[in-house]
Amino acid sequence: MKLKLAPALLLAAFLPTTALAAGSSFQTYGPHIGFSSGPSQLVLGGQLQMGDVAPSIDFVPSVDLGLGDGLTIVSLNGDFHYRFTISGATWQPYAGGGVAIHFVSWDNAGPGGDSSDTQAGGTAVFGADVPTKSGNRFFVEGKIGLGDSPDFKAIAGWHFGRK
């Protein structure tokens, strides 16, 4: 399994470099945690938020590790979020979509040991973020899977950095 996850981990290591090279008006980063259904898993990960790749549109690459339901899934996601502006509000809703590559592995009870597969899919995204007292941002997000993606993911996390 370790060799099969190497391409995903290598790509994830280069995501921060890509974010800094993009030269967007803001970059934030942070961890997230949540769950998925279809398969039922605990989801841990991290994301970058590169703002204003177009007016009110952010590029948000992320990596997720899903554990449970007899599977281990490493997902590389490339989402775009459209930020809605609400006059006088400190919180900010967003919606969007993206693509994902999933590296799936599982244990076989019989001969052959571990098995793995690579799948591609998409997501429809909706969420909101709100500033914290420390100046960072807390967010909650839902992702509806399209194609070979988990049916649904609910995550919460933090964005640190400059905005």
Side-chain angles (χ1 to χ4, degrees):
M1 180 175 101
K2 291 178 184 173
L3 291 176
K4 295 171 186 168
L5 293 178
L9 297 175
L10 184 61
L11 184 57
F14 288 108
L15 285 176
T17 305
T18 305
L20 294 175
S24 62
S25 65
F26 67 86
Q27 292 101 25
T28 63
Y29 57 92
H32 60 253
I33 187 169
F35 67 90
S36 71
S37 65
S40 298
Q41 293 191 307
L42 170 68
V43 176
L44 306 168
Q47 73 284 333
L48 299 170
Q49 181 183 29
M50 295 181 279
D52 293 333
V53 295
S56 298
I57 297 178
D58 302 333
F59 176 56
V60 186
S62 65
V63 61
D64 294 336
L65 172 63
L67 303 168
D69 215 7
L71 302 170
T72 300
I73 302 176
V74 174
S75 300
L76 300 176
N77 309 293
D79 296 336
F80 288 91
H81 297 172
Y82 178 82
R83 290 179 278 114
F84 298 96
T85 302
I86 299 176
S87 180
T90 58
W91 69 285
Q92 189 167 40
Y94 58 86
V99 296
I101 298 173
H102 309 287
F103 300 93
V104 183
S105 56
W106 62 93
D107 292 330
N108 282 332
D114 291 348
S115 293
S116 65
D117 191 17
T118 302
Q119 301 171 345
T123 55
V125 180
F126 58 93
D129 67 10
V130 62
T132 63
K133 290 181 181 181
S134 64
N136 299 309
R137 296 188 74 82
F138 174 77
F139 72 92
V140 293
E141 181 175 284
K143 290 186 173 188
I144 298 169
L146 307 170
D148 284 333
S149 288
D151 294 341
F152 180 76
K153 284 185 184 180
I155 61 173
W158 296 267
H159 284 158
F160 306 103
R162 61 183 174 87
K163 183 170 183 177

